[in-house]
Amino acid sequence: MTLLPILVLALGTYGFRVAGPLLSERLRLSARVQDLMSLATIAMLAALVATSTLVAQGGFAGGARAVGVLVGAVLAWRQAPFIAVVVVAAATAAGLRLMGVP
Amino acid sequence: MGKVDRALLRDVGAVALAAGVVGVSFGALAVAAGMPVWMAGLMSVVVFAGGSQFVAVGMVASGGSPVAAVLAGLLLNARHLPFGLVVADVLGRKWPMKLLGAHLMVDESVAFALAQRDPERRRAAYWLCGGLLFVGWNVGVVAGGWIGKTVGNPESLGLDAAFPACMLALLLPSLLPPKKEEAAEGAGPRATKARKVAVVGALIALAATPLLPAGLPVLLSILAVGVALR
């Protein structure tokens, strides 16, 4: 990764962020379009969770990470605080690796 | 600011702290992928969108081209446009505030703002969450960069599990059936639809992973919206 792609990503992202407030006075998205955009976001976030849990360098990332995320998921489902979800997920994966799970 | 109470401060603080932990994992990952610490820190300050940073660095690290990495990151961040339409009111009318506030637009600050009914509290929640998250994320990334340089392998600390777990925790509320007291306004069918889209999106991305260059499977998951069109 070099500086140029980082700056392009930063500028483009800021463009998306600032466009909403600038457009909000003259543009109204229909409720249906807003609905579909939020569903597309959910699809991408879910895909991101799935791939970053299971995939590393094009192959299976190993059991330790998957179980760590799973434990975090259970905590999140039980409405544990964010920080607990994140720390316990990491600690579980680290612990499993200490025990030799890849 | 005004109108910041202890409960709000506690919730926002917890999320900012969690962002810091995920930041540590990003920093460690970026350094493991060959980035210098200062560049990982700079990227976090100017991009300030965790998901896209992971995707972009991950794609380049696994051999993808920088152009594809930037496109994937941008597509992932396109959601900020509709976000901006939703939270435009909390940024106020003054230009400097609009321009500054727009940079603090992340999933968490938008979600916190939307959870408040009172306009004054919406403003306070947005700026507080965005501001604390900005500090937490960037401090975390730089710390993670140093840890990554020292420890070498961020995986031995389990940091690679932190990011998916955090994203899942953020995603979960929109997938779960609403509690009884919130069940009004069609929230139940919406959650069912969202669950379907999430599962299909995840499956599409996983199925595409062996076939496509890194990053593209996540983009392809948008097709899952199709199951909600019927």
Side-chain angles (χ1 to χ4, degrees):
Chain A
M1 198 81 168
T2 51
L3 215 47
L4 185 66
I6 290 175
L7 294 180
V8 175
L9 178 60
L11 277 177
T13 300
Y14 187 70
F16 283 131
R17 281 181 170 139
V18 88
L22 298 188
L23 290 173
S24 66
E25 278 150 34
R26 50 185 85 169
L27 180 84
R28 281 273 154 248
L29 289 178
S30 73
R32 180 153 174 78
V33 172
Q34 282 194 22
D35 204 36
L36 289 179
M37 288 190 100
S38 76
L39 284 174
T41 308
I42 286 173
M44 284 195 289
L45 291 178
L48 205 58
V49 170
T51 52
S52 57
T53 299
L54 298 173
V55 181
Q57 279 101 43
F60 179 51
R65 187 193 294 180
V67 173
V69 175
L70 191 68
V71 171
V74 172
L75 281 184
W77 177 56
R78 305 298 300 172
Q79 300 190 328
F82 272 100
I83 190 73
V85 171
V86 172
V87 169
V88 172
T92 305
L96 285 173
R97 286 196 182 112
L98 264 179
M99 294 189 292
V101 180
Chain B
M1 283 253 163
K3 288 266 185 178
V4 177
D5 57 34
R6 292 184 76 123
L8 185 64
L9 201 62
R10 191 193 56 217
D11 290 352
V12 168
V15 171
L17 214 62
V21 176
V22 178
V24 169
S25 72
F26 174 76
L29 208 87
V31 168
M35 250 181 162
V37 178
W38 68 265
M39 201 188 272
L42 178 78
M43 184 186 197
S44 302
V45 169
V46 297
V47 177
F48 188 44
S52 68
Q53 291 178 230
F54 274 100
V55 167
V57 170
M59 274 177 81
V60 172
S62 55
S65 81
V67 174
V70 167
L71 284 180
L74 284 178
L75 240 129
L76 206 62
N77 288 341
R79 68 181 184 281
H80 290 92
L81 188 105
F83 281 175
L85 293 171
V86 179
V87 297
D89 61 314
V90 307
L91 302 182
R93 304 213 151 265
K94 287 188 192 128
W95 275 98
M97 297 302 269
K98 262 190 198 178
L99 294 180
L100 180 69
H103 193 55
L104 299 180
M105 193 182 294
V106 287
D107 307 80
E108 293 90 340
S109 58
V110 172
F112 263 106
L114 290 184
Q116 315 296 326
R117 298 201 172 179
D118 177 58
E120 190 93 348
R121 271 183 68 98
R122 268 165 77 100
R123 285 180 64 88
Y126 180 88
W127 285 89
L128 186 69
C129 183
L132 281 183
L133 214 86
F134 188 78
V135 175
W137 174 249
N138 289 303
V139 169
V141 169
V142 173
W146 285 112
I147 292 171
K149 264 179 76 168
T150 329
V151 177
N153 183 5
E155 295 201 349
S156 65
L157 296 178
L159 290 176
D160 55 316
F163 171 68
C166 181
M167 299 292 279
L168 192 61
L170 280 176
L171 189 59
L172 215 54
S174 47
L175 302 182
L176 292 177
K179 291 184 211 108
K180 270 181 192 143
E181 61 266 29
E182 296 161 4
E185 296 167 40
R190 206 180 304 143
T192 313
K193 214 189 256 183
R195 256 200 316 277
K196 266 191 214 161
V197 168
V199 170
V200 175
L203 289 177
I204 290 175
L206 288 175
T209 294
L211 311 171
L212 295 176
L216 285 183
V218 170
L219 301 188
L220 203 65
S221 70
I222 298 177
L223 294 178
V225 171
V227 299
L229 285 175
R230 285 176 300 142

